[in-house]
Amino acid sequence: MIKKLFAYTFLLIGCPTIVLAQDSDLGSLHGNFQADFQSSKENEAIGSNEVPEKLLMNSFANFNYTRGNFSTGFRYESYANPILGFDPRYTGEGLTYRYAQYKVNNLDVTVGNYYEQFGSGMIFRCYEERNLGYDNAMDGVRVKYKLADGVNVKAVVGRQRLFFELGEGIVRGIDGEIMLNEAIPSLNDIGTQISFGGSFVSKFQADDNTVYNLPQNVGAYAIRFNVNKGNWNLNAEYVHKDNDPSSVNNFIYQEGEALLINSSYSQKGFGVSMSAKRIDNMDFRSDRAETFQNLNINFLPALTKQHTYALATIYPYGTITTGEMAYQGELSYKFKKGSLIGGKYGTRIFTNFSTVYNIQKDQVGDTPIGQEGTLGYESDFFTIGEDKFFQEFSVEISKKVSKKLKFTGSYINTEYNSDFIVGYRGLKGTVYANIFVLETQYKIKPKHSIRSEIQLLKTEQHDGDWAMALIEYTISPHYFVAVQDMYNYGNSDEEKQIHYPVLSAGYNNGTTRFAANYGRQRAGIFCVGGVCREIPASDGFTLSITSSF
């Protein structure tokens, strides 16, 4: 592995030197580095376990070299050992990403690793979300070609990353898109932008099952469109997948499908959007035996608001790939300056409503719904199921009171059905929670500011009521220090009415950043875009270093 690292370093650093003899243009070398360190001790009260290594580390470094139409690069990663919450199969180090790319005329070719997405990603999306420990990068070949103005195609073949290995299955796909206004310039006169697209993706995995005759090739296709006229936008995508028995769907021979529709209208000071989604048996992986977030070929977005406040993230929603129907509406409005509500600086209000139900599933003959080795069930496309998975209403008001003071107030009402959502182990029934947040920002003097948060979560289920307070002092652009405390004061078990204090500090210098925390971290679920991972409790120190060039 060390030899490989030196070899790639030579390619990036040595090649420009060789090129110097032929051309004065040496190209450019850029990259970034990050290292996260964690030390945690046993704390029986919060449930954190002793960490034998005493110090855990996740780190990586990217190096990319570009000269003209050619680029190449690699990423080195080291987990010694992975920080809490990351799959232990990340333990180790190595070159996890390397590629070479060349563009000539209308052709764009990449060999090695790459990330790619077709349409909304519901049929194919390979990407990285480092905070989740998620990386399903492709390793193979990608070709893009511009057939004509407004007509583009791309094709991929390869295997997906599985920690430090590659998944067993082979993924193949092709995507085409036509942007009519570029292909037919005269359409620009009507003031409407129109595009259409289509995709086909298949996976191959040998059938080694001794019980069932499993399909070795599983295909999926998608069609989509996008229409934009003035302040209006409408887009939709439909995906259909062949029967794909797997560990996730209990090895049923049920076909899958998904539909996502988004519409929006916006103008200065006002915006509104509506979205709808239906998913039916759309778990799509390059290895039928894998579970959790491993080797996903596609990405199924959650139609819920992505929160950043600590107490609002206690009950996050994770997409249920076996079947759900979701709806979301958002509205934002800014009251003008000088109006009764707007005041001197204006006032902005943002509201969101989202709800998710199961899909209706009916028996096929006398076969129980979802029985292993059967057709699974029947489902009417337009019928909503009886079980509510999740529902949330939120309203946020932001107002600048003066040149120095600004506040944001939020109210969130959440229904979280833990009988269905992948989340807290042992938690049963639906949690009904009301969350209140008040954030203030005050500019003391140039470059000096102070920010505070007060949060309250009220519920009679699960762990009961929580309170959280934070205060942060910033000296821009270099320093910040913050102290916060989460307190589970409403827990029905008095021994679990615990404080979770954290002291944080950071230093920025150009593109380099140091951030350190010391304190307690509650156990819970961390989600990004409907993709989640479980985080165990910890009590100790973390340090993060990032830099780029």
Side-chain angles (χ1 to χ4, degrees):
M1 185 56 66
I2 298 298
K3 290 181 179 179
K4 290 184 179 179
L5 178 60
F6 278 118
Y8 279 106
T9 303
F10 173 77
L11 286 175
L12 293 181
I13 299 176
C15 283
T17 304
I18 297 173
V19 172
L20 179 61
Q22 303 173 356
D23 195 331
S24 60
D25 180 9
L26 298 179
S28 62
L29 178 66
H30 62 278
N32 65 308
F33 165 81
Q34 179 174 327
D36 298 316
F37 302 90
Q38 182 182 48
S39 176
S40 180
K41 62 179 182 290
E42 182 179 10
N43 186 323
E44 186 176 346
I46 67 172
S48 65
N49 299 318
E50 181 180 0
V51 178
E53 300 92 329
K54 301 302 180 184
L55 184 67
L56 304 171
M57 181 193 72
N58 291 3
S59 65
F60 72 90
N62 285 308
F63 298 90
N64 298 285
Y65 170 72
T66 301
R67 182 174 184 269
N69 294 328
F70 174 77
S71 60
T72 185
F74 67 89
R75 179 170 67 236
Y76 177 80
E77 296 182 21
S78 176
Y79 301 85
N81 280 339
I83 63 177
L84 298 177
F86 278 68
D87 195 298
R89 284 177 287 182
Y90 272 115
T91 300
E93 57 282 317
L95 291 170
T96 60
Y97 192 94
R98 73 281 184 274
Y99 75 96
Q101 183 178 15
Y102 188 78
K103 300 177 183 179
V104 56
N105 299 326
N106 294 331
L107 180 66
D108 181 344
V109 178
T110 302
V111 296
N113 296 112
Y114 54 89
Y115 297 107
E116 188 54 76
Q117 177 172 324
F118 293 171
S120 67
M122 292 199 304
I123 189 171
F124 179 74
R125 185 186 183 192
C126 286
Y127 71 107
E128 177 191 29
E129 180 56 62
R130 186 158 294 276
N131 291 329
L132 292 175
Y134 184 89
D135 188 348
N136 64 343
M138 289 281 284
D139 191 352
V141 176
R142 176 185 62 188
V143 178
K144 299 181 180 181
Y145 191 73
K146 181 179 179 180
L147 294 174
D149 289 342
V151 183
N152 300 289
V153 295
K154 51 189 173 183
V156 299
V157 178
R159 301 177 188 267
Q160 294 178 286
R161 177 182 177 181
L162 182 64
F163 306 106
F164 284 102
E165 305 294 335
L166 294 177
E168 179 181 334
I170 300 173
V171 180
R172 305 153 297 192
I174 185 168
D175 178 84
E177 186 170 50
I178 301 175
M179 291 166 280
L180 289 182
N181 298 76
E182 292 186 28
I184 310 174
S186 60
L187 289 178
N188 291 318
D189 297 335
I190 65 175
T192 302
Q193 304 291 318
I194 304 173
S195 67
F196 295 95
S199 309
F200 178 79
V201 176
S202 72
K203 69 166 184 178
F204 171 82
Q205 183 183 14
D207 177 15
D208 57 0
N209 192 287
T210 58
V211 178
Y212 301 115
N213 182 19
L214 300 177
Q216 298 188 121
N217 292 279
V218 176
Y221 65 83
I223 55 174
R224 64 183 185 269
F225 74 87
N226 183 80
V227 179
N228 184 283
K229 182 175 179 61
N231 299 326
W232 295 90
N233 181 262
L234 174 66
N235 65 79
E237 183 169 25
Y238 173 79
V239 182
H240 184 276
K241 179 172 67 74
D242 293 339
N243 69 85
D244 184 18
S246 69
S247 296
V248 174
N249 67 13
N250 198 35
F251 286 92
I252 59 174
Y253 290 75
Q254 174 82 26
E255 295 184 339
E257 59 184 350
L259 174 67
L260 177 64
I261 303 174
N262 298 301
S263 61
S264 64
Y265 173 83
S266 63
Q267 64 178 42
K268 185 178 181 181
F270 174 76
V272 62
S273 66
M274 299 289 292
S275 300
K277 178 185 66 171
R278 185 182 193 273
I279 291 174
D280 182 2
N281 192 35
M282 271 304 296
D283 190 272
F284 194 20
R285 303 170 190 264
S286 56
D287 189 333
R288 64 177 72 92
E290 284 293 338
T291 55
F292 299 109
Q293 305 303 336
N294 301 329
L295 297 178
N296 283 314
I297 296 174
N298 61 343
F299 170 76
L300 302 172
L303 293 188
T304 57
K305 181 176 172 59
Q306 304 301 303
H307 294 289
T308 57
Y309 293 115
L311 296 188
T313 62
I314 287 183
Y315 301 111
Y317 184 73
T319 302
I320 298 177
T321 62
T322 52
E324 67 174 29
M325 295 185 75
Y327 305 91
Q328 182 180 35
E330 296 182 338
L331 184 148
S332 64
Y333 184 78
K334 183 176 182 180
F335 294 91
K336 296 180 180 180
K337 298 177 183 179
S339 64
L340 179 63
I341 300 178
K344 184 177 180 180
Y345 296 96
T347 301
R348 181 175 292 278
I349 182 171
F350 181 89
T351 62
N352 176 279
F353 176 78
S354 56
T355 185
V356 188
Y357 281 79
N358 69 329
I359 60 175
Q360 183 64 40
K361 296 182 180 180
D362 300 315
Q363 286 187 210
V364 180
D366 297 327
T367 304
I369 295 174
Q371 180 173 309
E372 183 176 302
T374 69
L375 295 178
Y377 53 84
E378 293 180 344
S379 179
D380 182 79
F381 190 89
F382 298 101
T383 302
I384 301 175
E386 297 179 353
D387 296 311
K388 182 191 293 184
F389 293 158
F390 181 86
Q391 182 169 293
E392 184 177 86
F393 169 76
S394 65
V395 57
E396 178 181 291
I397 301 174
S398 297
K399 183 172 181 60
K400 186 176 181 180
V401 179
S402 66
K403 291 183 178 180
K404 293 186 175 183
L405 179 62
K406 177 183 177 181
F407 77 82
T408 300
S410 301
Y411 167 70
I412 304 164
N413 177 271
T414 299
E415 295 181 38
Y416 181 95
N417 193 334
S418 58
D419 289 337
F420 297 95
I421 302 174
V422 177
Y424 299 95
R425 296 174 182 174
L427 176 60
K428 299 296 182 181
T430 300
V431 176
Y432 300 91
N434 290 289
I435 304 166
F436 306 86
V437 179
L438 177 63
E439 177 184 2
T440 61
Q441 299 180 49
Y442 183 74
K443 188 174 183 179
I444 302 173
K445 59 181 180 179
K447 297 185 179 183
H448 290 252
S449 63
I450 190 167
R451 185 178 70 88
S452 67
E453 291 180 18
I454 299 175
Q455 303 180 33
L456 182 66
L457 185 153
K458 301 288 291 183
T459 181
E460 296 180 359
Q461 293 81 39
H462 194 206
D463 291 333
D465 301 336
W466 288 80
M468 184 268 193
L470 173 146
I471 187 166
E472 178 183 272
Y473 188 86
T474 301
I475 304 176
S476 182
H478 295 300
Y479 306 96
F480 82 88
V481 61
V483 59
Q484 74 172 55
D485 184 28
M486 290 177 59
Y487 179 32
N488 190 195
Y489 72 93
N491 200 304
S492 58
D493 185 346
E494 292 187 1
E495 293 185 358
K496 294 182 179 179
Q497 293 179 3
I498 300 170
H499 287 270
Y500 292 82
V502 177
L503 175 64
S504 305
Y507 170 71
N508 299 315
N509 185 8
T511 61
T512 300
R513 174 183 172 88
F514 296 85
N517 297 320
Y518 180 77
R520 296 174 174 178
Q521 168 67 53
R522 69 171 183 87
I525 303 297
F526 178 57
C527 298
V528 177
V531 180
C532 307
R533 74 176 175 96
E534 187 174 358
I535 300 177
S538 63
D539 185 356
F541 174 80
T542 62
L543 172 65
S544 179
I545 305 171
T546 61
S547 185
S548 62
F549 64 92

